[in-house]
Amino acid sequence: MPCYAIDGVLPVVDPSAYVHPTAVLIGDVIVGAHCYIGPCACLRGDFGRIVIGPGANVQDNCVLHGFPDQATVVEKNGHIGHGAVLHGCVVRRDALVGMNAVVMDEAEVGAQAIVAACAFVPAGMQVPPRTLVAGTPARPKRLLSDAEIAWKLEGTQTYQDLARRSRDSLREVQPLTALDADRPRLQRLALRTLIATKRA
């Protein structure tokens, strides 16, 4: 992976974590146990510290950055969706930040909360625990059900397993030029979309 020291400060990655080879880690970045850092994610610890807690995931094309003397933190089992931007904020344990959402400086996403896809959480906003926020700017919509919180945790555990699968089997290859007759399929996962879960 592209991993850079700055001013003598090196990133730290737990051996049980997986960081995709195209992700970029710069300076004061700490990646905890069983984390997954996806393709093209950029964690820039060149001003403030970035901490990714145990079991958290930061998916492809995410950007994490912050101000000096300010940490950008994703706590245990935090779940940061594709293309999200976190800047000088805190995402508490078991919270989810949806795809292409933006969470700004000194904002805090409470434990087990969900920030909807494409939401904008303004600087200093305090998202209450177990609450869904959505919109631009983000506004609380409702409390989350136990089933929704369980669904989120199941998704996060799937990414913890993806970290293991990636460490064990992901490798760069040349593509095939034709389809194999006996092409294998990926292992079937029990994970369903939230809408499918609600229909069941």
Short mmCIF file of all heavy atoms in Angstrom, two decimals, residues 86-149:
data_model
loop_
_atom_site.label_atom_id
_atom_site.label_comp_id
_atom_site.label_asym_id
_atom_site.label_seq_id
_atom_site.Cartn_x
_atom_site.Cartn_y
_atom_site.Cartn_z
N LEU A 86 -14.91 12.37 5.90
CA LEU A 86 -14.90 12.72 7.32
C LEU A 86 -13.79 13.73 7.54
O LEU A 86 -12.65 13.50 7.14
CB LEU A 86 -14.64 11.49 8.20
CG LEU A 86 -15.53 10.26 8.02
CD1 LEU A 86 -15.14 9.19 9.03
CD2 LEU A 86 -16.99 10.62 8.14
N HIS A 87 -14.13 14.85 8.20
CA HIS A 87 -13.12 15.89 8.42
C HIS A 87 -13.18 16.36 9.86
O HIS A 87 -14.13 17.03 10.26
CB HIS A 87 -13.34 17.06 7.47
CG HIS A 87 -12.11 17.89 7.27
ND1 HIS A 87 -11.71 18.87 8.14
CD2 HIS A 87 -11.15 17.84 6.30
CE1 HIS A 87 -10.57 19.41 7.72
NE2 HIS A 87 -10.21 18.80 6.59
N GLY A 88 -12.20 15.94 10.66
CA GLY A 88 -12.08 16.42 12.03
C GLY A 88 -13.28 16.11 12.90
O GLY A 88 -13.66 16.91 13.75
N CYS A 89 -13.89 14.95 12.72
CA CYS A 89 -15.11 14.58 13.44
C CYS A 89 -14.89 13.27 14.20
O CYS A 89 -13.84 12.65 14.10
CB CYS A 89 -16.27 14.43 12.45
SG CYS A 89 -15.95 13.16 11.20
N VAL A 90 -15.93 12.86 14.94
CA VAL A 90 -15.90 11.59 15.66
C VAL A 90 -17.13 10.79 15.27
O VAL A 90 -18.26 11.29 15.33
CB VAL A 90 -15.88 11.81 17.19
CG1 VAL A 90 -15.95 10.48 17.93
CG2 VAL A 90 -14.63 12.58 17.61
N VAL A 91 -16.91 9.53 14.90
CA VAL A 91 -17.98 8.58 14.63
C VAL A 91 -17.92 7.55 15.75
O VAL A 91 -16.95 6.79 15.83
CB VAL A 91 -17.82 7.94 13.24
CG1 VAL A 91 -18.90 6.89 13.00
CG2 VAL A 91 -17.84 9.02 12.15
N ARG A 92 -18.91 7.55 16.61
CA ARG A 92 -18.90 6.68 17.79
C ARG A 92 -19.14 5.21 17.41
O ARG A 92 -19.52 4.89 16.28
CB ARG A 92 -19.94 7.15 18.80
CG ARG A 92 -19.65 8.53 19.39
CD ARG A 92 -18.44 8.49 20.30
NE ARG A 92 -18.17 9.81 20.87
CZ ARG A 92 -17.00 10.20 21.32
NH1 ARG A 92 -15.97 9.37 21.28
NH2 ARG A 92 -16.83 11.40 21.83
N ARG A 93 -18.97 4.35 18.40
CA ARG A 93 -19.03 2.89 18.19
C ARG A 93 -20.34 2.48 17.53
O ARG A 93 -21.41 3.02 17.84
CB ARG A 93 -18.84 2.14 19.49
CG ARG A 93 -19.94 2.39 20.50
CD ARG A 93 -19.81 1.53 21.75
NE ARG A 93 -20.89 1.82 22.67
CZ ARG A 93 -22.11 1.34 22.55
NH1 ARG A 93 -22.42 0.54 21.54
NH2 ARG A 93 -23.05 1.66 23.42
N ASP A 94 -20.22 1.53 16.62
CA ASP A 94 -21.36 0.91 15.95
C ASP A 94 -22.20 1.88 15.12
O ASP A 94 -23.34 1.57 14.77
CB ASP A 94 -22.26 0.18 16.95
CG ASP A 94 -21.57 -1.02 17.57
OD1 ASP A 94 -21.10 -1.88 16.82
OD2 ASP A 94 -21.47 -1.08 18.81
N ALA A 95 -21.67 3.07 14.80
CA ALA A 95 -22.41 4.01 13.94
C ALA A 95 -22.06 3.76 12.48
O ALA A 95 -21.03 3.17 12.15
CB ALA A 95 -22.08 5.44 14.33
N LEU A 96 -22.94 4.24 11.60
CA LEU A 96 -22.76 4.09 10.16
C LEU A 96 -22.86 5.46 9.50
O LEU A 96 -23.79 6.22 9.78
CB LEU A 96 -23.82 3.15 9.59
CG LEU A 96 -23.78 2.85 8.09
CD1 LEU A 96 -24.32 1.44 7.83
CD2 LEU A 96 -24.58 3.84 7.26
N VAL A 97 -21.91 5.75 8.63
CA VAL A 97 -21.96 6.94 7.78
C VAL A 97 -22.17 6.43 6.36
O VAL A 97 -21.36 5.68 5.83
CB VAL A 97 -20.67 7.77 7.89
CG1 VAL A 97 -20.70 8.94 6.90
CG2 VAL A 97 -20.49 8.27 9.32
N GLY A 98 -23.29 6.83 5.74
CA GLY A 98 -23.69 6.28 4.45
C GLY A 98 -22.84 6.76 3.29
O GLY A 98 -22.03 7.69 3.40
N MET A 99 -23.08 6.17 2.15
CA MET A 99 -22.32 6.45 0.93
C MET A 99 -22.42 7.93 0.55
O MET A 99 -23.50 8.52 0.58
CB MET A 99 -22.84 5.60 -0.22
CG MET A 99 -22.57 4.12 -0.03
SD MET A 99 -23.18 3.12 -1.39
CE MET A 99 -24.81 2.72 -0.80
N ASN A 100 -21.27 8.50 0.23
CA ASN A 100 -21.15 9.89 -0.22
C ASN A 100 -21.63 10.92 0.79
O ASN A 100 -21.86 12.08 0.43
CB ASN A 100 -21.85 10.09 -1.57
CG ASN A 100 -21.11 9.41 -2.69
OD1 ASN A 100 -19.89 9.50 -2.79
ND2 ASN A 100 -21.83 8.68 -3.51
N ALA A 101 -21.77 10.54 2.05
CA ALA A 101 -22.10 11.51 3.10
C ALA A 101 -20.84 12.28 3.48
O ALA A 101 -19.72 11.83 3.27
CB ALA A 101 -22.68 10.79 4.32
N VAL A 102 -21.05 13.47 4.07
CA VAL A 102 -19.96 14.31 4.53
C VAL A 102 -20.22 14.65 5.99
O VAL A 102 -21.32 15.09 6.35
CB VAL A 102 -19.86 15.62 3.70
CG1 VAL A 102 -18.78 16.54 4.27
CG2 VAL A 102 -19.56 15.30 2.24
N VAL A 103 -19.21 14.43 6.84
CA VAL A 103 -19.30 14.77 8.26
C VAL A 103 -18.17 15.75 8.57
O VAL A 103 -17.00 15.43 8.39
CB VAL A 103 -19.21 13.52 9.16
CG1 VAL A 103 -19.42 13.91 10.62
CG2 VAL A 103 -20.24 12.46 8.74
N MET A 104 -18.55 16.94 9.03
CA MET A 104 -17.60 18.05 9.14
C MET A 104 -16.98 18.18 10.53
O MET A 104 -17.30 17.43 11.45
CB MET A 104 -18.28 19.35 8.74
CG MET A 104 -18.60 19.43 7.23
SD MET A 104 -17.13 19.33 6.19
CE MET A 104 -16.28 20.84 6.66
N ASP A 105 -16.11 19.18 10.66
CA ASP A 105 -15.29 19.39 11.85
C ASP A 105 -16.12 19.52 13.13
O ASP A 105 -17.13 20.21 13.17
CB ASP A 105 -14.45 20.66 11.67
CG ASP A 105 -13.57 20.54 10.44
OD1 ASP A 105 -12.59 19.80 10.51
OD2 ASP A 105 -13.89 21.17 9.42
N GLU A 106 -15.62 18.83 14.16
CA GLU A 106 -16.18 18.85 15.51
C GLU A 106 -17.61 18.32 15.58
O GLU A 106 -18.28 18.46 16.59
CB GLU A 106 -16.08 20.25 16.12
CG GLU A 106 -14.63 20.71 16.25
CD GLU A 106 -14.50 22.06 16.92
OE1 GLU A 106 -15.26 22.34 17.86
OE2 GLU A 106 -13.62 22.84 16.49
N ALA A 107 -18.08 17.68 14.51
CA ALA A 107 -19.35 16.97 14.58
C ALA A 107 -19.11 15.63 15.27
O ALA A 107 -17.99 15.11 15.29
CB ALA A 107 -19.92 16.74 13.19
N GLU A 108 -20.17 15.09 15.85
CA GLU A 108 -20.09 13.79 16.49
C GLU A 108 -21.31 12.97 16.10
O GLU A 108 -22.45 13.43 16.28
CB GLU A 108 -20.04 13.92 18.01
CG GLU A 108 -19.93 12.60 18.73
CD GLU A 108 -19.78 12.76 20.23
OE1 GLU A 108 -18.95 13.60 20.66
OE2 GLU A 108 -20.48 12.06 20.97
N VAL A 109 -21.06 11.79 15.54
CA VAL A 109 -22.12 10.86 15.19
C VAL A 109 -22.23 9.88 16.36
O VAL A 109 -21.29 9.14 16.65
CB VAL A 109 -21.81 10.13 13.87
CG1 VAL A 109 -22.90 9.12 13.54
CG2 VAL A 109 -21.65 11.14 12.73
N GLY A 110 -23.38 9.90 17.04
CA GLY A 110 -23.54 9.12 18.26
C GLY A 110 -23.50 7.62 18.02
O GLY A 110 -23.67 7.13 16.90
N ALA A 111 -23.31 6.87 19.10
CA ALA A 111 -23.23 5.41 19.05
C ALA A 111 -24.50 4.85 18.41
O ALA A 111 -25.62 5.29 18.71
CB ALA A 111 -23.06 4.85 20.45
N GLN A 112 -24.32 3.91 17.50
CA GLN A 112 -25.39 3.19 16.81
C GLN A 112 -26.28 4.11 15.97
O GLN A 112 -27.39 3.72 15.60
CB GLN A 112 -26.23 2.38 17.81
CG GLN A 112 -25.42 1.33 18.55
CD GLN A 112 -26.25 0.52 19.52
OE1 GLN A 112 -27.09 1.06 20.24
NE2 GLN A 112 -26.03 -0.78 19.54
N ALA A 113 -25.82 5.29 15.66
CA ALA A 113 -26.58 6.19 14.78
C ALA A 113 -26.28 5.86 13.32
O ALA A 113 -25.29 5.20 13.01
CB ALA A 113 -26.23 7.64 15.08
N ILE A 114 -27.13 6.35 12.43
CA ILE A 114 -26.92 6.19 10.99
C ILE A 114 -27.06 7.55 10.32
O ILE A 114 -28.07 8.25 10.51
CB ILE A 114 -27.91 5.18 10.37
CG1 ILE A 114 -27.63 3.77 10.89
CG2 ILE A 114 -27.82 5.22 8.84
CD1 ILE A 114 -28.56 2.69 10.35
N VAL A 115 -26.03 7.91 9.55
CA VAL A 115 -26.07 9.09 8.69
C VAL A 115 -26.42 8.58 7.30
O VAL A 115 -25.68 7.77 6.73
CB VAL A 115 -24.71 9.82 8.68
CG1 VAL A 115 -24.73 10.96 7.68
CG2 VAL A 115 -24.36 10.31 10.08
N ALA A 116 -27.54 9.04 6.75
CA ALA A 116 -28.02 8.54 5.46
C ALA A 116 -27.04 8.88 4.34
O ALA A 116 -26.25 9.82 4.43
CB ALA A 116 -29.39 9.13 5.16
N ALA A 117 -27.13 8.11 3.26
CA ALA A 117 -26.32 8.38 2.08
C ALA A 117 -26.55 9.81 1.60
O ALA A 117 -27.67 10.32 1.64
CB ALA A 117 -26.68 7.40 0.97
N CYS A 118 -25.47 10.45 1.18
CA CYS A 118 -25.47 11.82 0.63
C CYS A 118 -25.86 12.90 1.63
O CYS A 118 -26.07 14.06 1.24
CB CYS A 118 -26.36 11.91 -0.61
SG CYS A 118 -25.79 10.86 -1.96
N ALA A 119 -25.94 12.59 2.92
CA ALA A 119 -26.26 13.60 3.92
C ALA A 119 -25.04 14.49 4.17
O ALA A 119 -23.90 14.08 3.95
CB ALA A 119 -26.69 12.94 5.23
N PHE A 120 -25.31 15.70 4.64
CA PHE A 120 -24.25 16.64 5.02
C PHE A 120 -24.42 16.98 6.49
O PHE A 120 -25.40 17.63 6.88
CB PHE A 120 -24.31 17.91 4.18
CG PHE A 120 -23.27 18.92 4.57
CD1 PHE A 120 -21.95 18.78 4.16
CD2 PHE A 120 -23.60 20.02 5.37
CE1 PHE A 120 -20.98 19.71 4.53
CE2 PHE A 120 -22.63 20.95 5.74
CZ PHE A 120 -21.33 20.80 5.31
N VAL A 121 -23.49 16.49 7.32
CA VAL A 121 -23.52 16.75 8.76
C VAL A 121 -22.63 17.97 9.01
O VAL A 121 -21.41 17.89 8.87
CB VAL A 121 -23.02 15.53 9.56
CG1 VAL A 121 -23.00 15.83 11.06
CG2 VAL A 121 -23.91 14.31 9.27
N PRO A 122 -23.23 19.12 9.36
CA PRO A 122 -22.44 20.35 9.46
C PRO A 122 -21.50 20.35 10.66
O PRO A 122 -21.67 19.57 11.61
CB PRO A 122 -23.49 21.45 9.57
CG PRO A 122 -24.72 20.78 10.04
CD PRO A 122 -24.66 19.35 9.59
N ALA A 123 -20.54 21.24 10.62
CA ALA A 123 -19.57 21.38 11.71
C ALA A 123 -20.29 21.56 13.04
O ALA A 123 -21.24 22.34 13.15
CB ALA A 123 -18.66 22.57 11.44
N GLY A 124 -19.83 20.81 14.04
CA GLY A 124 -20.34 20.94 15.39
C GLY A 124 -21.63 20.21 15.69
O GLY A 124 -22.07 20.17 16.84
N MET A 125 -22.29 19.61 14.70
CA MET A 125 -23.56 18.91 14.95
C MET A 125 -23.33 17.70 15.83
O MET A 125 -22.36 16.96 15.67
CB MET A 125 -24.20 18.48 13.63
CG MET A 125 -25.54 17.78 13.82
SD MET A 125 -26.31 17.36 12.24
CE MET A 125 -27.86 16.67 12.82
N GLN A 126 -24.24 17.47 16.75
CA GLN A 126 -24.22 16.29 17.61
C GLN A 126 -25.37 15.39 17.19
O GLN A 126 -26.54 15.70 17.44
CB GLN A 126 -24.37 16.69 19.09
CG GLN A 126 -23.30 17.65 19.58
CD GLN A 126 -21.93 17.01 19.63
OE1 GLN A 126 -21.71 16.01 20.30
NE2 GLN A 126 -20.98 17.59 18.89
N VAL A 127 -25.06 14.28 16.51
CA VAL A 127 -26.08 13.32 16.10
C VAL A 127 -26.38 12.43 17.30
O VAL A 127 -25.47 11.76 17.80
CB VAL A 127 -25.62 12.49 14.89
CG1 VAL A 127 -26.64 11.42 14.54
CG2 VAL A 127 -25.32 13.40 13.70
N PRO A 128 -27.62 12.40 17.79
CA PRO A 128 -27.91 11.58 18.96
C PRO A 128 -27.70 10.08 18.70
O PRO A 128 -27.84 9.62 17.56
CB PRO A 128 -29.40 11.86 19.24
CG PRO A 128 -29.69 13.14 18.52
CD PRO A 128 -28.79 13.14 17.32
N PRO A 129 -27.38 9.32 19.73
CA PRO A 129 -27.25 7.87 19.57
C PRO A 129 -28.55 7.26 19.02
O PRO A 129 -29.65 7.79 19.26
CB PRO A 129 -26.99 7.36 20.99
CG PRO A 129 -26.40 8.55 21.70
CD PRO A 129 -27.07 9.74 21.10
N ARG A 130 -28.40 6.18 18.28
CA ARG A 130 -29.53 5.39 17.76
C ARG A 130 -30.52 6.23 16.95
O ARG A 130 -31.73 5.98 16.98
CB ARG A 130 -30.26 4.68 18.91
CG ARG A 130 -29.41 3.64 19.63
CD ARG A 130 -30.17 2.97 20.76
NE ARG A 130 -31.36 2.28 20.27
CZ ARG A 130 -31.45 0.96 20.14
NH1 ARG A 130 -30.44 0.19 20.45
NH2 ARG A 130 -32.56 0.40 19.69
N THR A 131 -30.01 7.21 16.23
CA THR A 131 -30.86 8.11 15.47
C THR A 131 -30.45 8.09 14.01
O THR A 131 -29.27 8.05 13.68
CB THR A 131 -30.74 9.54 16.02
OG1 THR A 131 -31.15 9.54 17.39
CG2 THR A 131 -31.61 10.52 15.25
N LEU A 132 -31.45 8.13 13.11
CA LEU A 132 -31.21 8.30 11.69
C LEU A 132 -31.26 9.79 11.37
O LEU A 132 -32.22 10.48 11.74
CB LEU A 132 -32.30 7.59 10.88
CG LEU A 132 -32.31 7.86 9.37
CD1 LEU A 132 -31.06 7.29 8.70
CD2 LEU A 132 -33.58 7.29 8.73
N VAL A 133 -30.19 10.29 10.72
CA VAL A 133 -30.20 11.66 10.22
C VAL A 133 -30.04 11.62 8.71
O VAL A 133 -29.37 10.75 8.16
CB VAL A 133 -29.11 12.56 10.86
CG1 VAL A 133 -29.33 12.67 12.36
CG2 VAL A 133 -27.72 12.06 10.55
N ALA A 134 -30.68 12.58 8.02
CA ALA A 134 -30.63 12.63 6.56
C ALA A 134 -30.80 14.06 6.10
O ALA A 134 -31.30 14.91 6.84
CB ALA A 134 -31.74 11.75 5.97
N GLY A 135 -30.35 14.32 4.87
CA GLY A 135 -30.58 15.62 4.26
C GLY A 135 -29.35 16.50 4.25
O GLY A 135 -28.29 16.16 4.76
N THR A 136 -29.54 17.69 3.63
CA THR A 136 -28.47 18.67 3.50
C THR A 136 -29.01 20.03 3.90
O THR A 136 -29.73 20.64 3.12
CB THR A 136 -27.96 18.71 2.05
OG1 THR A 136 -27.55 17.38 1.68
CG2 THR A 136 -26.81 19.65 1.88
N PRO A 137 -28.75 20.50 5.10
CA PRO A 137 -27.97 19.84 6.14
C PRO A 137 -28.75 18.70 6.79
O PRO A 137 -29.98 18.65 6.68
CB PRO A 137 -27.72 20.97 7.15
CG PRO A 137 -28.91 21.87 7.00
CD PRO A 137 -29.26 21.82 5.53
N ALA A 138 -28.03 17.80 7.44
CA ALA A 138 -28.66 16.64 8.07
C ALA A 138 -29.58 17.07 9.20
O ALA A 138 -29.27 17.99 9.96
CB ALA A 138 -27.59 15.69 8.59
N ARG A 139 -30.71 16.37 9.30
CA ARG A 139 -31.68 16.58 10.37
C ARG A 139 -32.10 15.23 10.92
O ARG A 139 -32.24 14.26 10.16
CB ARG A 139 -32.92 17.31 9.85
CG ARG A 139 -32.65 18.72 9.33
CD ARG A 139 -32.55 19.70 10.50
NE ARG A 139 -32.42 21.07 10.02
CZ ARG A 139 -31.29 21.76 10.02
NH1 ARG A 139 -30.16 21.18 10.43
NH2 ARG A 139 -31.26 23.01 9.61
N PRO A 140 -32.34 15.14 12.22
CA PRO A 140 -32.84 13.87 12.77
C PRO A 140 -34.19 13.51 12.17
O PRO A 140 -35.07 14.37 12.06
CB PRO A 140 -32.95 14.16 14.28
CG PRO A 140 -32.03 15.32 14.52
CD PRO A 140 -32.09 16.14 13.27
N LYS A 141 -34.34 12.26 11.78
CA LYS A 141 -35.59 11.78 11.20
C LYS A 141 -36.39 10.93 12.18
O LYS A 141 -37.59 11.06 12.28
CB LYS A 141 -35.31 10.97 9.92
CG LYS A 141 -34.63 11.78 8.82
CD LYS A 141 -35.51 12.95 8.39
CE LYS A 141 -34.86 13.76 7.30
NZ LYS A 141 -35.67 14.92 6.90
N ARG A 142 -35.69 10.02 12.87
CA ARG A 142 -36.38 9.13 13.81
C ARG A 142 -35.36 8.30 14.56
O ARG A 142 -34.19 8.25 14.18
CB ARG A 142 -37.37 8.23 13.10
CG ARG A 142 -36.73 7.32 12.05
CD ARG A 142 -37.74 6.42 11.37
NE ARG A 142 -37.15 5.68 10.28
CZ ARG A 142 -36.41 4.59 10.41
NH1 ARG A 142 -36.14 4.09 11.62
NH2 ARG A 142 -35.91 3.96 9.36
N LEU A 143 -35.83 7.63 15.60
CA LEU A 143 -34.99 6.66 16.29
C LEU A 143 -34.92 5.38 15.45
O LEU A 143 -35.86 5.06 14.72
CB LEU A 143 -35.55 6.33 17.67
CG LEU A 143 -35.46 7.46 18.71
CD1 LEU A 143 -36.16 7.04 20.00
CD2 LEU A 143 -33.99 7.80 18.99
N LEU A 144 -33.80 4.69 15.58
CA LEU A 144 -33.62 3.42 14.86
C LEU A 144 -34.19 2.27 15.66
O LEU A 144 -34.12 2.25 16.90
CB LEU A 144 -32.14 3.19 14.58
CG LEU A 144 -31.52 4.19 13.60
CD1 LEU A 144 -30.00 4.15 13.70
CD2 LEU A 144 -31.97 3.91 12.18
N SER A 145 -34.72 1.29 14.95
CA SER A 145 -35.25 0.09 15.61
C SER A 145 -34.11 -0.85 15.96
O SER A 145 -33.01 -0.77 15.39
CB SER A 145 -36.25 -0.62 14.69
OG SER A 145 -35.56 -1.17 13.57
N ASP A 146 -34.39 -1.78 16.86
CA ASP A 146 -33.39 -2.81 17.18
C ASP A 146 -33.03 -3.62 15.94
O ASP A 146 -31.87 -4.00 15.75
CB ASP A 146 -33.93 -3.75 18.26
CG ASP A 146 -34.03 -3.08 19.63
OD1 ASP A 146 -33.39 -2.02 19.83
OD2 ASP A 146 -34.76 -3.60 20.49
N ALA A 147 -34.01 -3.86 15.07
CA ALA A 147 -33.75 -4.64 13.84
C ALA A 147 -32.80 -3.89 12.92
O ALA A 147 -31.92 -4.49 12.30
CB ALA A 147 -35.07 -4.95 13.13
N GLU A 148 -32.94 -2.57 12.82
CA GLU A 148 -32.06 -1.78 11.96
C GLU A 148 -30.64 -1.75 12.52
O GLU A 148 -29.66 -1.85 11.76
CB GLU A 148 -32.59 -0.36 11.81
CG GLU A 148 -33.84 -0.30 10.94
CD GLU A 148 -34.54 1.04 11.01
OE1 GLU A 148 -34.61 1.63 12.10
OE2 GLU A 148 -35.02 1.50 9.96
N ILE A 149 -30.52 -1.66 13.82
CA ILE A 149 -29.20 -1.66 14.44
C ILE A 149 -28.53 -3.03 14.28
O ILE A 149 -27.34 -3.13 13.99
CB ILE A 149 -29.29 -1.24 15.92
CG1 ILE A 149 -29.66 0.26 15.98
CG2 ILE A 149 -28.00 -1.51 16.67
CD1 ILE A 149 -30.03 0.76 17.35
#
